Amino acid sequence: MPKVMAESLIFAVAESLISKLASRAVEQASLALGVYQELQQMKKTMALIKAFLLDAEQKKEKNNALSEWLRQIRLVFAHAEDIVDNFECEVLRKHVVRTHGSFSRKVCRLFSTSNPLVYRYRMGREINDIKKQLEKVAADGHMFGLQSSDKDTKVLHAREMTHSHVNVSNVVGREHDKQKIIELLLQDDHRDRSLSVISIVGFGGLGKTTLAKVVFNDTKVEEFFTLKMWVCVSNDFELRNVLIKILNSAPSATNEKFKNLETDQLQIRLRNTLQREKFLLVLDDVWNENRVKWDALKEIIDMVGNRGSKILVTTRSHSIDAMMRTKSSNSYTLKGLSEEDSLSLFVKSAFDDGEGKKHPELMEIGRQIVRKCGGIPLAVRTLGSSLFSRVDRKEWESIRDNEIWNLKQNENDILPALELSYDQLPSHLKRCFACFSLASKDFDVSSSYVALLWEALGFLPPPKENETTHDVANEYLRELWSRSFLTDFLDMGSTCRFKLHDLVRELAVYVAKGEFQILYPHSTTISEHAQHLSFIENDMLGQDLVPMGLRTIIFPMEATNGAFLNTLVFRCKYLRVLDLSYSEYESLPSYIGKLKHLRYLSLSGNKKLKGLPDSVCKLQNLQTLDLRGCIQLQKLPKGIRKLISLRRLLVTTMQPDFPDKEISKLASIETLELYSCDNLESLFQAIQPRSLKFLHLSGCGGLRSLSFHVITNLESLVIFKCSKMELSMGLSNLNSIPDSRLKLLVLQSLPQLVTLPEWLQGSVNTLHSLLVVDCNNLEELPEWLSTLTCLKLLIIEHCPRLISLPETTHLLRNLEHLEINDCPELCRRCQPGVGLDWHKISHIKQVIIGEPEE
């Protein structure tokens, strides 16, 4: 396989850059600075090069010279993008000057416009340099005999959504494996109380986790075990962390803060939890080969539960299986799917139900593709999904006959199949997918963070009218899910959560190589042209090794190296993303205000941070400022109204006089999240933040009032641990409920909540997801709940006084996902087939009901 893959991202860069050059902002700035003609010529040359990029990307595998040509283009385009962004910065600066008055001389020097003639000369020279480089690579491109293709013909295909919990009907060819595992789990040797470990062993992509989920949710298994727990272990087998994960997975663990307990206390708590239980503990994706660590865990849980207790392990390693065995253990080696089962799964992924039979020629080509996948479900599913709704025979044949199958591979290597699926992505999705190379393993990923990253790096197009960048990002994520790149996908309307399979993440690392890089402990080199870096640990590299053209820097947790931070801020002037989450800095350098390209700045979890320099307010491009968990932050910097591009503000602050008037004037602000702002008593009184779409209030113990006019334009509202807040919003005595636009409402840890607030009826035509969690005094759900005709997801957890569902619940015909947990009487009444309220919810596709307490 080729050593560098980042060249496959260039077409999307070209499209984005040409679009920027055609924008009104850049046009105005270039006219004012006298470089309009030069930029127009640059745009024409770029368009000429872009026309040949798609063909070049397809042919680069066979031609090293072509790969080098693409690499040169990537470097020139990156430099050009920085210059274009300079113009956009200048437009924003002038807007702030017009709106809020002139800057001081110091600020003028910051933007290099104190002498317009010098600025114009410098920009003109840089543009001419870029022009010459573009003309050279354009001339060099003629030697490759490339075909012109100005438009990426790969399109998005919509597909019906499912839920994160495994759908048994989508699991193909594993019934025999399932029954064998269940037989092993249900063995009950009355003579032996020692711990029994059952291992599912097989290489990546075979579906070990999916099989374990199917078994975990089987009715026989449910009836046999009195306690079931699921833990994704992965690389982290430190005893304390594993104990916390196990305890958190137990049904009795609601809202417990196990992280505050010592290891000895955790051991005692776990043994008490398992005592007198016939338990099933799933340890998914185990990589630990250290016997000492395994023995330490085994010693705690051995001989504690009732006879018949089991541990079910999934692992790629036979040596790990051997290490974890006890005298009553068994292992099950998972094999690949048969050709017929593989074809069945492929057809399910490539066609809607019954459509495959209409295309016998494609079915035969599909069979030939399937044979190359080696029976690996992940490979079969991703390739099938990449061909979903495509009926052009040539497209199918291009997958079957691609030369990547002939490249030397390791045994059971599925990267070729996954890469072919990646090649079928539209260009704009390829860049977005490459960002996943910076993701940590086995973590739930939130669409919020992904959207912020994509937006800050310029990977998203401008949203349409009545649409946010978050909506665009969610659309992209749904498309990646439909092509089987994402797993455990939970769509909550305005947001979603998902996971990445290890092999999909490896694919992201592979295709992003050279541009995106994670620096592990003791890394000694950074790719010469890296643009996006993530540091795993606090052993930072020397300043001379850090490329000046970096766009992204993600610092490690607990970073303390102030000198290194100062060097980066001073050296990397083109940064778009600076993530300093959970570092331990007390302050930031004042010249952070010079990072005029910065779009995303996160200082969340910096518990020692006491203040921000006012120069932060000079970052006119800043779209996201994240200050969550900065518990010593005295106040926000002065002049926050000058952050005219700010769309998201996430804050923990000690100040009682929150600058909501300034914030409400920010025309771009979409999201406001306040965490543990205990001195805050009121918010937006007599102020209408018209652009605000997402409001999250968490742990604001002193907050008493929020006027309903704030809610009317919101799409998402979260209220968590605001115990003094008046939830009626002043609408308790109104005859009619004003309309609102909520899609997502979360009410959590609110002891004052007895029934749902009346104002929620204003969102009958929009509400998609409703989550009510840990509301101990909630006594009823109102009959008008059934009027929420768009409701698709309803989650109710730990509301012990709620004993029944409204009689009209069956009228919620669009409700697809219902979860009820830790509501003893309600869980009893909703038990499938036998509960008194089951008839009200039996029509719902996905129903998850917790065990009623004995």
PDB file of all heavy atoms in Angstrom, residues 621-650:
ATOM      1  N   ASN A 621     -12.164  35.691  14.576  1.00  0.00           N
ATOM      2  CA  ASN A 621     -12.578  34.464  13.891  1.00  0.00           C
ATOM      3  C   ASN A 621     -13.083  33.396  14.858  1.00  0.00           C
ATOM      4  O   ASN A 621     -13.586  32.366  14.418  1.00  0.00           O
ATOM      5  CB  ASN A 621     -11.402  33.879  13.096  1.00  0.00           C
ATOM      6  CG  ASN A 621     -11.481  34.234  11.619  1.00  0.00           C
ATOM      7  OD1 ASN A 621     -12.519  34.048  10.999  1.00  0.00           O
ATOM      8  ND2 ASN A 621     -10.405  34.733  11.059  1.00  0.00           N
ATOM      9  N   LEU A 622     -12.915  33.607  16.160  1.00  0.00           N
ATOM     10  CA  LEU A 622     -13.228  32.575  17.150  1.00  0.00           C
ATOM     11  C   LEU A 622     -14.706  32.205  17.095  1.00  0.00           C
ATOM     12  O   LEU A 622     -15.583  33.060  17.214  1.00  0.00           O
ATOM     13  CB  LEU A 622     -12.856  33.052  18.557  1.00  0.00           C
ATOM     14  CG  LEU A 622     -12.797  31.960  19.626  1.00  0.00           C
ATOM     15  CD1 LEU A 622     -11.673  30.968  19.338  1.00  0.00           C
ATOM     16  CD2 LEU A 622     -12.623  32.567  21.017  1.00  0.00           C
ATOM     17  N   GLN A 623     -14.959  30.907  16.913  1.00  0.00           N
ATOM     18  CA  GLN A 623     -16.335  30.408  16.836  1.00  0.00           C
ATOM     19  C   GLN A 623     -16.762  29.689  18.117  1.00  0.00           C
ATOM     20  O   GLN A 623     -17.936  29.688  18.464  1.00  0.00           O
ATOM     21  CB  GLN A 623     -16.459  29.440  15.653  1.00  0.00           C
ATOM     22  CG  GLN A 623     -16.212  30.090  14.309  1.00  0.00           C
ATOM     23  CD  GLN A 623     -15.986  29.093  13.196  1.00  0.00           C
ATOM     24  OE1 GLN A 623     -15.667  27.926  13.442  1.00  0.00           O
ATOM     25  NE2 GLN A 623     -16.106  29.535  11.955  1.00  0.00           N
ATOM     26  N   THR A 624     -15.789  29.066  18.803  1.00  0.00           N
ATOM     27  CA  THR A 624     -16.094  28.312  20.024  1.00  0.00           C
ATOM     28  C   THR A 624     -15.099  28.680  21.118  1.00  0.00           C
ATOM     29  O   THR A 624     -13.886  28.606  20.913  1.00  0.00           O
ATOM     30  CB  THR A 624     -16.016  26.795  19.768  1.00  0.00           C
ATOM     31  OG1 THR A 624     -16.951  26.432  18.757  1.00  0.00           O
ATOM     32  CG2 THR A 624     -16.332  26.014  21.046  1.00  0.00           C
ATOM     33  N   LEU A 625     -15.624  29.063  22.282  1.00  0.00           N
ATOM     34  CA  LEU A 625     -14.809  29.314  23.466  1.00  0.00           C
ATOM     35  C   LEU A 625     -15.359  28.431  24.582  1.00  0.00           C
ATOM     36  O   LEU A 625     -16.490  28.605  25.028  1.00  0.00           O
ATOM     37  CB  LEU A 625     -14.872  30.788  23.864  1.00  0.00           C
ATOM     38  CG  LEU A 625     -14.108  31.190  25.132  1.00  0.00           C
ATOM     39  CD1 LEU A 625     -12.625  30.853  25.003  1.00  0.00           C
ATOM     40  CD2 LEU A 625     -14.295  32.686  25.437  1.00  0.00           C
ATOM     41  N   ASP A 626     -14.550  27.464  24.995  1.00  0.00           N
ATOM     42  CA  ASP A 626     -14.990  26.461  25.970  1.00  0.00           C
ATOM     43  C   ASP A 626     -14.251  26.671  27.287  1.00  0.00           C
ATOM     44  O   ASP A 626     -13.045  26.437  27.386  1.00  0.00           O
ATOM     45  CB  ASP A 626     -14.726  25.054  25.428  1.00  0.00           C
ATOM     46  CG  ASP A 626     -15.379  23.968  26.282  1.00  0.00           C
ATOM     47  OD1 ASP A 626     -15.836  24.276  27.405  1.00  0.00           O
ATOM     48  OD2 ASP A 626     -15.429  22.808  25.827  1.00  0.00           O
ATOM     49  N   LEU A 627     -14.991  27.123  28.309  1.00  0.00           N
ATOM     50  CA  LEU A 627     -14.426  27.396  29.630  1.00  0.00           C
ATOM     51  C   LEU A 627     -15.136  26.573  30.704  1.00  0.00           C
ATOM     52  O   LEU A 627     -15.168  26.962  31.876  1.00  0.00           O
ATOM     53  CB  LEU A 627     -14.553  28.895  29.946  1.00  0.00           C
ATOM     54  CG  LEU A 627     -13.871  29.838  28.954  1.00  0.00           C
ATOM     55  CD1 LEU A 627     -14.288  31.279  29.202  1.00  0.00           C
ATOM     56  CD2 LEU A 627     -12.357  29.711  29.038  1.00  0.00           C
ATOM     57  N   ARG A 628     -15.689  25.433  30.313  1.00  0.00           N
ATOM     58  CA  ARG A 628     -16.378  24.570  31.293  1.00  0.00           C
ATOM     59  C   ARG A 628     -15.392  24.053  32.335  1.00  0.00           C
ATOM     60  O   ARG A 628     -14.263  23.675  32.004  1.00  0.00           O
ATOM     61  CB  ARG A 628     -17.017  23.378  30.597  1.00  0.00           C
ATOM     62  CG  ARG A 628     -18.228  23.683  29.765  1.00  0.00           C
ATOM     63  CD  ARG A 628     -18.677  22.464  29.001  1.00  0.00           C
ATOM     64  NE  ARG A 628     -17.669  22.038  28.027  1.00  0.00           N
ATOM     65  CZ  ARG A 628     -17.728  20.907  27.332  1.00  0.00           C
ATOM     66  NH1 ARG A 628     -18.738  20.076  27.526  1.00  0.00           N
ATOM     67  NH2 ARG A 628     -16.795  20.611  26.457  1.00  0.00           N
ATOM     68  N   GLY A 629     -15.832  23.990  33.576  1.00  0.00           N
ATOM     69  CA  GLY A 629     -15.001  23.401  34.621  1.00  0.00           C
ATOM     70  C   GLY A 629     -13.835  24.261  35.060  1.00  0.00           C
ATOM     71  O   GLY A 629     -12.979  23.799  35.813  1.00  0.00           O
ATOM     72  N   CYS A 630     -13.787  25.529  34.628  1.00  0.00           N
ATOM     73  CA  CYS A 630     -12.749  26.455  35.107  1.00  0.00           C
ATOM     74  C   CYS A 630     -13.272  27.076  36.407  1.00  0.00           C
ATOM     75  O   CYS A 630     -13.750  28.223  36.433  1.00  0.00           O
ATOM     76  CB  CYS A 630     -12.454  27.523  34.060  1.00  0.00           C
ATOM     77  SG  CYS A 630     -11.828  26.858  32.506  1.00  0.00           S
ATOM     78  N   ILE A 631     -13.208  26.301  37.475  1.00  0.00           N
ATOM     79  CA  ILE A 631     -13.939  26.625  38.713  1.00  0.00           C
ATOM     80  C   ILE A 631     -13.372  27.833  39.452  1.00  0.00           C
ATOM     81  O   ILE A 631     -14.033  28.382  40.334  1.00  0.00           O
ATOM     82  CB  ILE A 631     -13.969  25.405  39.653  1.00  0.00           C
ATOM     83  CG1 ILE A 631     -12.547  24.915  39.946  1.00  0.00           C
ATOM     84  CG2 ILE A 631     -14.818  24.286  39.047  1.00  0.00           C
ATOM     85  CD1 ILE A 631     -12.486  23.744  40.906  1.00  0.00           C
ATOM     86  N   GLN A 632     -12.155  28.270  39.091  1.00  0.00           N
ATOM     87  CA  GLN A 632     -11.593  29.455  39.741  1.00  0.00           C
ATOM     88  C   GLN A 632     -11.650  30.688  38.841  1.00  0.00           C
ATOM     89  O   GLN A 632     -11.129  31.748  39.206  1.00  0.00           O
ATOM     90  CB  GLN A 632     -10.145  29.182  40.155  1.00  0.00           C
ATOM     91  CG  GLN A 632      -9.999  28.129  41.248  1.00  0.00           C
ATOM     92  CD  GLN A 632      -8.603  28.136  41.854  1.00  0.00           C
ATOM     93  OE1 GLN A 632      -8.044  29.185  42.183  1.00  0.00           O
ATOM     94  NE2 GLN A 632      -8.022  26.953  41.995  1.00  0.00           N
ATOM     95  N   LEU A 633     -12.295  30.567  37.700  1.00  0.00           N
ATOM     96  CA  LEU A 633     -12.379  31.699  36.779  1.00  0.00           C
ATOM     97  C   LEU A 633     -13.236  32.802  37.404  1.00  0.00           C
ATOM     98  O   LEU A 633     -14.423  32.597  37.686  1.00  0.00           O
ATOM     99  CB  LEU A 633     -12.978  31.247  35.446  1.00  0.00           C
ATOM    100  CG  LEU A 633     -13.006  32.293  34.329  1.00  0.00           C
ATOM    101  CD1 LEU A 633     -11.599  32.643  33.881  1.00  0.00           C
ATOM    102  CD2 LEU A 633     -13.827  31.787  33.146  1.00  0.00           C
ATOM    103  N   GLN A 634     -12.625  33.969  37.605  1.00  0.00           N
ATOM    104  CA  GLN A 634     -13.323  35.054  38.299  1.00  0.00           C
ATOM    105  C   GLN A 634     -14.389  35.703  37.422  1.00  0.00           C
ATOM    106  O   GLN A 634     -15.482  35.999  37.882  1.00  0.00           O
ATOM    107  CB  GLN A 634     -12.304  36.116  38.743  1.00  0.00           C
ATOM    108  CG  GLN A 634     -11.244  35.592  39.712  1.00  0.00           C
ATOM    109  CD  GLN A 634     -11.842  35.119  41.020  1.00  0.00           C
ATOM    110  OE1 GLN A 634     -12.640  35.817  41.638  1.00  0.00           O
ATOM    111  NE2 GLN A 634     -11.467  33.914  41.433  1.00  0.00           N
ATOM    112  N   LYS A 635     -14.052  35.915  36.162  1.00  0.00           N
ATOM    113  CA  LYS A 635     -15.001  36.563  35.255  1.00  0.00           C
ATOM    114  C   LYS A 635     -14.552  36.376  33.819  1.00  0.00           C
ATOM    115  O   LYS A 635     -13.405  35.997  33.539  1.00  0.00           O
ATOM    116  CB  LYS A 635     -15.116  38.056  35.569  1.00  0.00           C
ATOM    117  CG  LYS A 635     -13.808  38.807  35.413  1.00  0.00           C
ATOM    118  CD  LYS A 635     -13.990  40.286  35.727  1.00  0.00           C
ATOM    119  CE  LYS A 635     -12.675  41.049  35.526  1.00  0.00           C
ATOM    120  NZ  LYS A 635     -12.824  42.494  35.773  1.00  0.00           N
ATOM    121  N   LEU A 636     -15.449  36.650  32.908  1.00  0.00           N
ATOM    122  CA  LEU A 636     -15.119  36.606  31.489  1.00  0.00           C
ATOM    123  C   LEU A 636     -14.335  37.863  31.110  1.00  0.00           C
ATOM    124  O   LEU A 636     -14.465  38.913  31.755  1.00  0.00           O
ATOM    125  CB  LEU A 636     -16.402  36.512  30.657  1.00  0.00           C
ATOM    126  CG  LEU A 636     -17.193  35.208  30.802  1.00  0.00           C
ATOM    127  CD1 LEU A 636     -18.493  35.290  30.026  1.00  0.00           C
ATOM    128  CD2 LEU A 636     -16.380  34.023  30.327  1.00  0.00           C
ATOM    129  N   PRO A 637     -13.521  37.783  30.070  1.00  0.00           N
ATOM    130  CA  PRO A 637     -12.727  38.961  29.687  1.00  0.00           C
ATOM    131  C   PRO A 637     -13.607  40.103  29.198  1.00  0.00           C
ATOM    132  O   PRO A 637     -14.726  39.900  28.713  1.00  0.00           O
ATOM    133  CB  PRO A 637     -11.829  38.422  28.564  1.00  0.00           C
ATOM    134  CG  PRO A 637     -12.536  37.228  28.024  1.00  0.00           C
ATOM    135  CD  PRO A 637     -13.255  36.630  29.185  1.00  0.00           C
ATOM    136  N   LYS A 638     -13.092  41.331  29.321  1.00  0.00           N
ATOM    137  CA  LYS A 638     -13.834  42.505  28.852  1.00  0.00           C
ATOM    138  C   LYS A 638     -13.866  42.536  27.329  1.00  0.00           C
ATOM    139  O   LYS A 638     -12.905  42.162  26.675  1.00  0.00           O
ATOM    140  CB  LYS A 638     -13.154  43.781  29.366  1.00  0.00           C
ATOM    141  CG  LYS A 638     -13.273  43.977  30.866  1.00  0.00           C
ATOM    142  CD  LYS A 638     -12.582  45.277  31.282  1.00  0.00           C
ATOM    143  CE  LYS A 638     -12.652  45.465  32.794  1.00  0.00           C
ATOM    144  NZ  LYS A 638     -11.946  46.700  33.218  1.00  0.00           N
ATOM    145  N   GLY A 639     -14.990  42.983  26.808  1.00  0.00           N
ATOM    146  CA  GLY A 639     -15.094  43.160  25.358  1.00  0.00           C
ATOM    147  C   GLY A 639     -15.549  41.923  24.622  1.00  0.00           C
ATOM    148  O   GLY A 639     -15.289  41.782  23.421  1.00  0.00           O
ATOM    149  N   ILE A 640     -16.275  41.039  25.303  1.00  0.00           N
ATOM    150  CA  ILE A 640     -16.677  39.781  24.665  1.00  0.00           C
ATOM    151  C   ILE A 640     -17.621  40.035  23.495  1.00  0.00           C
ATOM    152  O   ILE A 640     -17.757  39.201  22.595  1.00  0.00           O
ATOM    153  CB  ILE A 640     -17.304  38.829  25.712  1.00  0.00           C
ATOM    154  CG1 ILE A 640     -17.233  37.380  25.200  1.00  0.00           C
ATOM    155  CG2 ILE A 640     -18.719  39.237  26.060  1.00  0.00           C
ATOM    156  CD1 ILE A 640     -17.498  36.349  26.270  1.00  0.00           C
ATOM    157  N   ARG A 641     -18.249  41.221  23.477  1.00  0.00           N
ATOM    158  CA  ARG A 641     -19.152  41.565  22.370  1.00  0.00           C
ATOM    159  C   ARG A 641     -18.402  41.693  21.040  1.00  0.00           C
ATOM    160  O   ARG A 641     -19.008  41.681  19.965  1.00  0.00           O
ATOM    161  CB  ARG A 641     -19.883  42.868  22.673  1.00  0.00           C
ATOM    162  CG  ARG A 641     -18.980  44.086  22.676  1.00  0.00           C
ATOM    163  CD  ARG A 641     -19.703  45.342  23.147  1.00  0.00           C
ATOM    164  NE  ARG A 641     -18.861  46.528  23.036  1.00  0.00           N
ATOM    165  CZ  ARG A 641     -17.894  46.834  23.896  1.00  0.00           C
ATOM    166  NH1 ARG A 641     -17.646  46.040  24.923  1.00  0.00           N
ATOM    167  NH2 ARG A 641     -17.185  47.940  23.730  1.00  0.00           N
ATOM    168  N   LYS A 642     -17.049  41.822  21.103  1.00  0.00           N
ATOM    169  CA  LYS A 642     -16.247  41.973  19.886  1.00  0.00           C
ATOM    170  C   LYS A 642     -15.944  40.639  19.209  1.00  0.00           C
ATOM    171  O   LYS A 642     -15.399  40.619  18.112  1.00  0.00           O
ATOM    172  CB  LYS A 642     -14.936  42.693  20.220  1.00  0.00           C
ATOM    173  CG  LYS A 642     -15.141  44.129  20.691  1.00  0.00           C
ATOM    174  CD  LYS A 642     -13.823  44.789  21.056  1.00  0.00           C
ATOM    175  CE  LYS A 642     -14.045  46.211  21.570  1.00  0.00           C
ATOM    176  NZ  LYS A 642     -12.775  46.855  21.984  1.00  0.00           N
ATOM    177  N   LEU A 643     -16.295  39.547  19.878  1.00  0.00           N
ATOM    178  CA  LEU A 643     -16.091  38.216  19.263  1.00  0.00           C
ATOM    179  C   LEU A 643     -17.240  37.958  18.295  1.00  0.00           C
ATOM    180  O   LEU A 643     -18.119  37.125  18.531  1.00  0.00           O
ATOM    181  CB  LEU A 643     -16.017  37.134  20.353  1.00  0.00           C
ATOM    182  CG  LEU A 643     -14.839  37.244  21.322  1.00  0.00           C
ATOM    183  CD1 LEU A 643     -14.932  36.179  22.408  1.00  0.00           C
ATOM    184  CD2 LEU A 643     -13.507  37.102  20.575  1.00  0.00           C
ATOM    185  N   ILE A 644     -17.222  38.644  17.178  1.00  0.00           N
ATOM    186  CA  ILE A 644     -18.394  38.686  16.300  1.00  0.00           C
ATOM    187  C   ILE A 644     -18.664  37.372  15.576  1.00  0.00           C
ATOM    188  O   ILE A 644     -19.737  37.192  15.002  1.00  0.00           O
ATOM    189  CB  ILE A 644     -18.280  39.838  15.278  1.00  0.00           C
ATOM    190  CG1 ILE A 644     -17.027  39.655  14.424  1.00  0.00           C
ATOM    191  CG2 ILE A 644     -18.287  41.178  15.969  1.00  0.00           C
ATOM    192  CD1 ILE A 644     -16.941  40.642  13.278  1.00  0.00           C
ATOM    193  N   SER A 645     -17.698  36.448  15.560  1.00  0.00           N
ATOM    194  CA  SER A 645     -17.931  35.147  14.914  1.00  0.00           C
ATOM    195  C   SER A 645     -18.322  34.075  15.925  1.00  0.00           C
ATOM    196  O   SER A 645     -18.569  32.930  15.537  1.00  0.00           O
ATOM    197  CB  SER A 645     -16.662  34.690  14.177  1.00  0.00           C
ATOM    198  OG  SER A 645     -16.308  35.595  13.161  1.00  0.00           O
ATOM    199  N   LEU A 646     -18.383  34.425  17.224  1.00  0.00           N
ATOM    200  CA  LEU A 646     -18.613  33.433  18.273  1.00  0.00           C
ATOM    201  C   LEU A 646     -19.987  32.800  18.127  1.00  0.00           C
ATOM    202  O   LEU A 646     -21.005  33.490  18.097  1.00  0.00           O
ATOM    203  CB  LEU A 646     -18.475  34.083  19.654  1.00  0.00           C
ATOM    204  CG  LEU A 646     -18.326  33.108  20.821  1.00  0.00           C
ATOM    205  CD1 LEU A 646     -16.996  32.362  20.733  1.00  0.00           C
ATOM    206  CD2 LEU A 646     -18.440  33.831  22.158  1.00  0.00           C
ATOM    207  N   ARG A 647     -19.989  31.474  18.032  1.00  0.00           N
ATOM    208  CA  ARG A 647     -21.239  30.721  17.909  1.00  0.00           C
ATOM    209  C   ARG A 647     -21.558  29.907  19.153  1.00  0.00           C
ATOM    210  O   ARG A 647     -22.705  29.609  19.421  1.00  0.00           O
ATOM    211  CB  ARG A 647     -21.170  29.784  16.701  1.00  0.00           C
ATOM    212  CG  ARG A 647     -21.094  30.535  15.388  1.00  0.00           C
ATOM    213  CD  ARG A 647     -20.954  29.613  14.199  1.00  0.00           C
ATOM    214  NE  ARG A 647     -20.870  30.371  12.964  1.00  0.00           N
ATOM    215  CZ  ARG A 647     -20.568  29.846  11.789  1.00  0.00           C
ATOM    216  NH1 ARG A 647     -20.289  28.569  11.682  1.00  0.00           N
ATOM    217  NH2 ARG A 647     -20.512  30.596  10.716  1.00  0.00           N
ATOM    218  N   ARG A 648     -20.490  29.538  19.889  1.00  0.00           N
ATOM    219  CA  ARG A 648     -20.695  28.699  21.071  1.00  0.00           C
ATOM    220  C   ARG A 648     -19.850  29.210  22.227  1.00  0.00           C
ATOM    221  O   ARG A 648     -18.637  29.391  22.081  1.00  0.00           O
ATOM    222  CB  ARG A 648     -20.305  27.246  20.766  1.00  0.00           C
ATOM    223  CG  ARG A 648     -21.359  26.478  20.000  1.00  0.00           C
ATOM    224  CD  ARG A 648     -20.766  25.281  19.325  1.00  0.00           C
ATOM    225  NE  ARG A 648     -19.797  25.689  18.321  1.00  0.00           N
ATOM    226  CZ  ARG A 648     -20.120  26.044  17.080  1.00  0.00           C
ATOM    227  NH1 ARG A 648     -21.369  26.024  16.688  1.00  0.00           N
ATOM    228  NH2 ARG A 648     -19.187  26.415  16.226  1.00  0.00           N
ATOM    229  N   LEU A 649     -20.499  29.413  23.358  1.00  0.00           N
ATOM    230  CA  LEU A 649     -19.818  29.830  24.576  1.00  0.00           C
ATOM    231  C   LEU A 649     -20.206  28.865  25.683  1.00  0.00           C
ATOM    232  O   LEU A 649     -21.379  28.716  26.006  1.00  0.00           O
ATOM    233  CB  LEU A 649     -20.210  31.259  24.942  1.00  0.00           C
ATOM    234  CG  LEU A 649     -19.601  31.821  26.230  1.00  0.00           C
ATOM    235  CD1 LEU A 649     -18.070  31.873  26.129  1.00  0.00           C
ATOM    236  CD2 LEU A 649     -20.162  33.211  26.532  1.00  0.00           C
ATOM    237  N   LEU A 650     -19.204  28.199  26.248  1.00  0.00           N
ATOM    238  CA  LEU A 650     -19.414  27.222  27.315  1.00  0.00           C
ATOM    239  C   LEU A 650     -18.611  27.688  28.521  1.00  0.00           C
ATOM    240  O   LEU A 650     -17.391  27.849  28.426  1.00  0.00           O
ATOM    241  CB  LEU A 650     -18.967  25.823  26.867  1.00  0.00           C
ATOM    242  CG  LEU A 650     -19.617  25.265  25.596  1.00  0.00           C
ATOM    243  CD1 LEU A 650     -18.863  25.721  24.349  1.00  0.00           C
ATOM    244  CD2 LEU A 650     -19.672  23.758  25.622  1.00  0.00           C
TER     245      LEU A 650
END
